[in-house]
Every structure is written in C-alpha cells, then in structure tokens.
C-alpha cells in the first residue's frame, strides 16, 4: 500500500484527525497496518487540499512540506483577533473600511519576497515549546520575522464601489507563509485591522483540489469502495519534476546508492524509474553527477 490520498479536509477537522481517519479506513478496508503521514498541516478552521502519504510515499512528506501552496482566503475588516482567525479574543477594532481600489493598490507590497511575523497562535517552536501552547498559557510570545515569498496575489471579489467589510483573495505562496499574517498585514496597509474569516487551500505542490476526495468518499472506501477511486500512485507526488528512465544496470546502481556520472540531463531533482516504470528513487543531478536523495522500496 503505497501512494497518496488527497483529502478535501472539511472545516473543524485537524490534520492529525485526518490522518487517523485514513488509518481507520485502511484498517476497515482490510489493509492492516500502513505507514501514514501528511504533507503539510492545515488548521481546523481551514478547508481544502491535505495530501496524505501512504507507505513509501511518506518519504516524500518533507518535500511536500517544502512545496509552494495556493489559498483562497477572506479578510474580514474591522476586527483583529488573538489568533488572526474567526476564533480567539478580539484584540483590536477599527471603524475604517477600505475601498476595493485601496486593497488592490496595497497588494504590490506583499508580492514577491517579503518579511512577515507569524501569528502567536502557530506551531512554531520557541525554546522547545509550541508558540500556541505558550500563547494559550498567557505568556507573552515574541515572534521573529521570517522571509517568505508570495508568488502571486490577486483579488477575487467582484468590482464594487464604496467601503468593504470583507474581501476575498487568492495567494500562491512559498513554504512557511502564514496566510493569517498576510491578511493582518494587508489590513494594516489599508489603514484598518482584520482577520481571516475563510481559508481554503486549493493546491499543495502537485496536488490540486480537483484530485481531492471528500471525507464521505474516504469513509466509503473503508466500507468497500474501489481503491483506484481513492488512492493515487506514488509518482503523482512527483508530477512537478521530470522522470529519468534508467537502464537495468543504472537502476541497480541507484538502488544501491551509488553515484552515477555521464548521464545527459538537466541539473536538479528527477525521479528515476526502471523498465517497469516504477519509481526507484528521488535523485539529484549536479554538474553531471547523479546522487540518490531518497530511495523507494517498491516490489513488483
């Protein structure tokens, strides 16, 4: 059992709970114990794409965490909360409401490489403790600024005149970007405060919401629904990098972790496959030297 289940995570379900639901359905479907991991935490108040890796695909979870992601989100103006989302205590209010033109004009300063301060209610560790645990305990949490990249940022809200109580945007961002912080800072830039009232991840690395399944469909799998309707092959998590076809001799060398030279190919990450087209390893070519990054143990 190796591959991916791409869950369209519903509101209120945590990422750990989602992994538990996958494990339960795998057991109910008769697959026994399967190694399971997720490719990027999604808050309970967020919905959308949550890649869940099975078996050898769990070796790609770290790569999935590093992948860029796309979100739709709504900023509700006039109220800032402690968690910068729909939960938490109100910590600031403002009567000012920006126009759509003002929001649009502000987006340029949040596109490209930017520095942002993560929310106090986040999973970042401070002196070995999660920031959200410290914040919930009443401690003053000082979050350090971090460098992230917003590849694209645009407004979804239809053209309108007058003041906005809320605006919906789409952001394509690098790893480590906090949408709640982005929403807070956009609100500041237009002279008010705000919080995220809706957050939906529509893409995580190579996986989009179009390939995601509902929790109901996952539960149907546990009750006997066809596996091919639920589980994507391991190579689906490698669609954003090129494949490298190896001869039997080269495939054996890569499986043994040996370095290869003299293969005509571009520098960067590739996934290597043998004659049966099964993934053998994630490999990296640097100046004509091919090294194994992660090997896959996939028997025919």
């Amino acid at each position: 059992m190796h591959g991916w289940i791409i869950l369209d995570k519903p509101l209120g379900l945590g990422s750990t709970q989602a992994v538990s639901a996958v494990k339960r359905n795998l057991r109910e479907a008769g697959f026994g114990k399967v190694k399971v991991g997720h490719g990027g935490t999604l808050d309970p108040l967020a919905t959308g794409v949550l890649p869940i890796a099975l078996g050898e695909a769990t070796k790609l979870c770290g790569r999935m965490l590093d992948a860029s992601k796309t979100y739709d989100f709504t900023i509700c103006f006039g109220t800032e909360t402690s968690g910068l989302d729909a939960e938490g205590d109100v910590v600031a209010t403002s009567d000012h409401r920006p126009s759509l033109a003002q929001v649009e004009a502000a987006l340029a300063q949040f596109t490209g490489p930017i520095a942002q301060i993560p929310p106090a209610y986040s999973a970042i560790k401070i002196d070995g403790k999660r920031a959200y645990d410290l914040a919930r305990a009443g401690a003053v949490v000082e979050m350090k600024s971090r460098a992230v990249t917003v590849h694209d940022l645009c407004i979804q809200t239809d053209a309108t005149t007058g003041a906005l109580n809320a605006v919906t945007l789409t952001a394509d961002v690098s790893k480590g970007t906090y949408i709640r912080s982005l929403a807070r800072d956009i609100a500041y830039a237009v002279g008010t405060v705000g919080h995220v009232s809706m957050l939906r991840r529509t893409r995580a690395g190579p996986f989009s919401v179009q390939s995601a399944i509902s929790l109901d469909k996952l539960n149907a799998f546990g009750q006997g629904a066809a596996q091919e309707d639920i589980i994507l092959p391991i190579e689906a998590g490698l669609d954003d990098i090129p494949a490298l076809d190896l001869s039997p001799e080269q495939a054996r060398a890569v499986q043994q972790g040996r370095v290869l030279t003299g293969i005509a190919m571009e520098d960067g990450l590739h996934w290597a496959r043998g004659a049966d087209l099964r993934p053998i390893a994630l490999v990296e070519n640097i100046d004509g030297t091919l090294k194994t990054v992660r090997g896959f143990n996939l028997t025919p």
Side-chain angles (χ1 to χ4, degrees):
M1 177 56 63
H2 310 287
W4 299 91
I5 292 177
I6 313 305
L7 185 65
D8 188 347
K9 190 191 78 62
L11 192 68
L13 188 74
S15 297
T16 302
Q17 292 173 305
V19 169
S20 296
V22 168
K23 289 180 177 179
R24 172 176 52 80
N25 278 282
L26 286 170
R27 287 195 304 270
E28 291 176 353
F31 288 99
K33 190 173 183 180
V34 178
K35 189 174 183 181
V36 180
H38 66 73
T41 299
L42 199 55
D43 292 342
L45 291 181
T47 66
V49 176
L50 180 63
I52 299 178
L54 313 177
E56 289 293 285
T58 57
K59 294 178 178 179
L60 296 171
C61 282
R63 183 173 178 272
M64 200 59 60
L65 293 173
D66 290 342
S68 64
K69 299 171 178 69
T70 303
Y71 296 88
D72 294 338
F73 64 103
T74 299
I75 308 173
C76 183
F77 294 119
T79 305
E80 182 177 325
T81 66
S82 55
L84 302 179
D85 55 22
E87 290 188 342
D89 299 327
V90 175
V91 297
T93 60
S94 171
D95 291 331
H96 176 66
R97 299 293 185 271
S99 67
L100 191 63
Q102 287 173 321
V103 174
E104 190 166 15
L107 297 188
Q109 63 186 286
F110 298 102
T111 305
I114 64 170
Q116 68 169 200
I117 297 175
Y121 285 83
S122 64
I124 293 173
K125 284 190 175 182
I126 300 176
D127 296 329
K129 296 183 178 179
R130 298 290 185 186
Y132 54 66
D133 288 331
L134 294 171
R136 288 166 184 161
V140 177
V141 181
E142 185 176 348
M143 307 300 293
K144 294 182 180 179
S145 177
R146 57 166 57 187
V148 298
T149 301
V150 178
H151 303 295
D152 190 47
L153 183 61
C154 61
I155 296 175
Q156 282 191 17
T157 303
D158 292 334
T160 183
T161 58
L164 293 175
N165 289 316
V167 64
T168 299
L169 303 99
T170 296
D172 183 7
V173 300
S174 71
K175 70 170 184 176
T177 304
Y178 280 90
I179 298 298
R180 287 176 290 152
S181 294
L182 184 61
R184 173 200 62 203
D185 296 342
I186 291 172
Y188 289 168
V190 294
T192 186
V193 296
H195 68 272
V196 171
S197 59
M198 183 280 293
L199 179 61
R200 180 164 176 77
R201 187 156 70 194
T202 58
R203 184 187 61 84
F207 299 118
S208 70
V209 71
Q210 283 75 26
S211 61
I213 64 169
S214 67
L215 188 60
D216 286 343
K217 193 167 184 178
L218 174 64
N219 292 332
F221 168 61
Q223 301 303 313
Q227 175 181 332
E228 56 268 24
D229 294 335
I230 304 297
I231 301 174
L232 299 178
I234 188 172
E235 53 265 37
L238 301 167
D239 273 354
D240 54 341
I241 59 174
L244 174 64
D245 292 313
L246 299 179
S247 69
E249 183 180 348
Q250 291 170 333
R252 281 192 297 272
V254 167
Q255 288 172 318
Q256 293 166 2
R258 286 188 278 147
V259 175
L260 293 179
T261 58
I263 299 179
M265 58 185 295
E266 294 183 0
D267 280 0
L269 284 174
H270 297 68
W271 63 276
R273 62 188 181 186
D276 61 1
L277 303 183
R278 286 185 300 111
I280 295 172
L282 184 66
V283 296
E284 185 174 19
N285 184 56
I286 302 176
D287 296 329
T289 299
L290 188 71
K291 295 183 178 180
T292 298
V293 177
R294 296 302 299 266
F296 303 122
N297 184 23
L298 299 174
T299 55

